[in-house]
Amino acid sequence: DGGITQSPKYLFRKEGQNVTLSCEQNLNHDAMYWYRQDPGQGLRLIYYSQIVNDFQKGDIAEGYSVSREKKESFPLTVTSAQKNPTAFYLCASSTTLNQPQHFGDGTRLSIL
Amino acid sequence: AQRVTQPEKLLSVFKGAPVELKCNYSYSGSPELFWYVQYSRQRLQLLLRHISRESIKGFTADLNKGETSFHLKKPFAQEEDSAMYYCALRDSGAGSYQLTFGKGTKLSVIP
């Protein structure tokens, strides 16, 4: 149904490698977000972006990096500095920061 | 720091029985509260927000500032209500607009 597309659905990487998760939206939303979800945990905010070329750290930004060069794209890089990267990652977007967020299907990252 | 607590990891009810999913929060400012739901093999989606004061799919939630609660209720549970439910809080006063989520409650409606 369009909206927010996260790819791939499953991602495997070797320890020590950086990996980039894709998030694209066609909703013309200004704000975008990345969350991490671990078993038995709620969603925790990694980074968010209010507008193109702007982004802010969330609660657990260490070991992650983002860019926002285009309105529709907000890729997340999980670096080798992230101590426990195996998790489920959710991307979201909203019209503006204070509007309800729409979520993607998520990417499950496993570090081998 | 703001915190959202959902005390039940799992809640099982029979079809037709009332449902109450508990959510308590700790926050000193002007919170906005939300309920998000994730049905099996579907995306996380907004169910309702307290400022709308609406009923979605038969669910309602009232913000009780005295008890710092935002419990989700439905008088008669349906099988299709089985899902994962997350309560979330947003700081609407400080300008950060960050959402803080609870750990979620899995609702299982028994036929």
Side-chain angles (χ1 to χ4, degrees):
Chain A
D1 65 306
I4 302 176
T5 302
Q6 289 187 244
S7 60
K9 198 169 183 177
Y10 300 95
L11 191 55
F12 299 91
R13 280 294 182 271
K14 291 183 179 179
E15 199 168 340
Q17 288 183 333
N18 291 355
V19 60
T20 298
L21 282 61
S22 170
C23 178
E24 305 275 331
Q25 53 98 359
N26 61 5
L27 301 167
N28 200 33
H29 285 172
D30 280 323
M32 296 187 74
Y33 315 79
W34 274 105
Y35 292 92
R36 171 182 171 136
Q37 188 175 30
D38 294 285
Q41 301 287 326
L43 280 67
R44 291 182 291 168
L45 183 66
I46 304 172
Y47 268 98
Y48 67 98
S49 169
Q50 184 174 357
I51 202 165
V52 174
N53 293 323
D54 173 78
F55 49 83
Q56 304 294 329
K57 291 182 179 180
D59 295 325
I60 55 166
E62 186 175 348
Y64 299 97
S65 66
V66 294
S67 62
R68 187 87 189 276
E69 297 175 3
K70 298 187 294 182
K71 186 175 187 176
E72 58 269 24
S73 179
F74 191 41
L76 173 74
T77 296
V78 184
T79 74
S80 56
Q82 169 47 235
K83 296 196 185 326
N84 187 18
T86 295
F88 188 62
Y89 291 87
L90 277 169
C91 179
S93 71
S94 59
T95 312
T96 56
L97 278 183
N98 62 347
Q99 292 301 311
Q101 296 176 21
H102 300 256
F103 286 83
D105 287 326
T107 293
R108 189 167 298 281
L109 173 64
S110 297
I111 302 299
L112 306 175
Chain B
Q2 56 206 46
R3 180 178 294 178
V4 177
T5 303
Q6 293 180 249
E8 302 138 329
K9 278 189 177 178
L10 174 65
L11 181 64
S12 297
V13 300
F14 285 102
K15 179 181 172 181
V19 175
E20 182 177 66
L21 294 156
K22 290 184 168 50
C23 173
N24 290 91
Y25 66 91
S26 61
Y27 182 63
S28 57
S30 302
E32 274 188 83
L33 275 297
F34 304 82
W35 276 100
Y36 280 82
V37 60
Q38 188 167 27
Y39 300 103
S40 178
R41 301 184 184 184
Q42 292 188 30
R43 298 178 178 188
L44 189 65
Q45 56 188 285
L46 179 66
L47 180 62
L48 53 80
R49 54 197 301 196
H50 90 270
I51 60 173
S52 301
R53 301 186 66 80
E54 57 193 343
S55 173
I56 304 293
K57 299 185 180 182
F59 284 98
T60 58
D62 290 318
L63 178 61
N64 186 323
K65 290 188 177 180
E67 295 182 357
T68 59
S69 68
F70 187 57
H71 303 327
L72 184 68
K73 300 177 184 178
K74 185 170 182 176
F76 308 104
Q78 303 299 314
E79 287 181 66
E80 55 266 29
D81 296 328
S82 294
M84 195 74 187
Y85 291 80
Y86 294 94
C87 183
L89 176 153
R90 181 166 65 204
D91 171 4
S92 62
S96 69
Y97 300 111
Q98 272 194 219
L99 274 180
T100 299
F101 285 84
K103 294 184 178 182
T105 297
K106 184 174 182 179
L107 174 64
S108 178
V109 180
I110 305 163

